[in-house]
Amino acid sequence: MSFALVMFWQGGAALTEAGRGRLRALLGGLAGVDRSILYTPARASDLYTDDGAGPTLGVQIEAPSLEALEAACAADGALQALADPDFLPELAGAQADQQMFVLRRYPVDEAQMQTPAGEMPCSYVVHYPGPAQDYNAWMTHYIAGHPPIMRRFPGIRGIEILTRCDWISALPFARAGHMQRNRVLFDSPAALTAALHSPVRHEMRADFHTFPPFEGGNYHFPMSTEVV
């Protein structure tokens, strides 16, 4: 178990290669961080959902302590560069949000990526705004039941569940308050599509209908995934 800062930008233009390079350099230089992930839009098909265009850009920064993430978000922290309009000018006018989470990872049978040449791994990022009627009952049910089904997706390379926590940040971005985020990882958008059209997707849907009461719906977006 570790912690993650998740930020998403809605609007603006696609990230340029120059912008990607600046972002890689910024994230790669963060102190006390295990790794960072860049998300950019991808295309995949789901048997049950189509939530439209996803975020323009996403960043997930993972660390063994909440304090390391809070230091990066402090008034004098390295991530203040993201608030400078000259740092990523392609995102001018975009709306960003931020939230820190407890990050839980679950086992898969084969984690070694086998991404075809010229492609990128693909994550299915999901969020539940909430609230749940009984958050403890919600989490107990979800964590016991959903990851074992996810593990049966053909070609799955990673499973994460991110749950809410309180955090300190001086970043001038809106503070999201989702009760939960999830991420499943595949070799490519085609591999994600194959999984979402497999019989396991029907099992996932059946389990969804057993969830304890909650509000806010859920939202699913395929995102190309680069680890920094």
Side-chain angles (χ1 to χ4, degrees):
M1 187 182 296
S2 57
F3 297 88
L5 167 64
V6 180
M7 295 177 283
F8 280 104
W9 284 258
Q10 299 279 355
L15 192 66
T16 64
E17 191 53 41
R20 185 182 288 269
R22 288 192 294 274
L23 195 48
R24 286 189 192 112
L26 173 66
L27 298 175
L30 293 175
V33 166
D34 291 332
R35 69 172 186 176
S36 296
I37 299 171
L38 298 185
Y39 298 124
T40 50
R43 296 180 64 86
S45 169
D46 188 329
L47 282 172
Y48 287 101
T49 65
D50 181 359
D51 293 323
T56 308
L57 173 67
V59 172
Q60 180 170 313
I61 304 169
E62 302 170 3
S65 72
L66 197 61
E67 290 86 352
L69 297 175
E70 290 177 333
C73 296
D76 59 352
L79 291 178
Q80 290 295 334
L82 296 172
D84 181 347
D86 294 327
F87 185 75
L88 293 174
E90 54 266 60
L91 294 179
Q95 300 297 311
D97 62 42
Q98 58 175 317
Q99 187 173 358
M100 291 188 197
F101 296 89
V102 175
L103 171 60
R104 295 171 167 88
R105 296 187 180 91
Y106 296 86
V108 295
D109 295 317
E110 177 54 71
Q112 183 64 41
M113 300 299 299
Q114 300 176 32
T115 301
E119 297 193 47
M120 294 183 68
C122 189
S123 296
Y124 210 30
V125 295
V126 181
H127 67 270
Y128 290 83
Q133 188 176 94
D134 180 332
Y135 190 67
N136 186 63
W138 162 269
M139 288 304 307
T140 300
H141 180 96
Y142 194 100
I143 286 177
H146 233 43
I149 303 174
M150 294 174 180
R151 186 174 182 174
R152 295 199 291 274
F153 271 130
I156 193 164
R157 306 299 185 203
I159 301 170
E160 296 175 354
I161 296 177
L162 298 89
T163 55
R164 64 188 185 181
C165 66
D166 293 320
W167 82 100
I168 299 168
S169 172
L171 294 177
F173 304 143
R175 293 171 65 94
H178 302 311
M179 70 174 183
Q180 183 179 315
R181 281 192 179 276
N182 304 336
R183 181 171 79 99
V184 288
L185 177 66
F186 293 85
D187 291 334
S188 65
L192 172 59
T193 294
L196 295 176
H197 285 254
S198 73
V200 178
R201 187 66 180 95
H202 300 302
E203 295 181 54
M204 292 283 287
R205 191 66 173 182
D207 191 49
F208 171 81
H209 289 301
T210 71
F211 287 176
F214 72 101
E215 300 176 21
N218 55 9
Y219 300 87
H220 309 69
F221 301 108
M223 304 294 288
S224 292
T225 303
E226 177 186 354
V227 175
V228 177

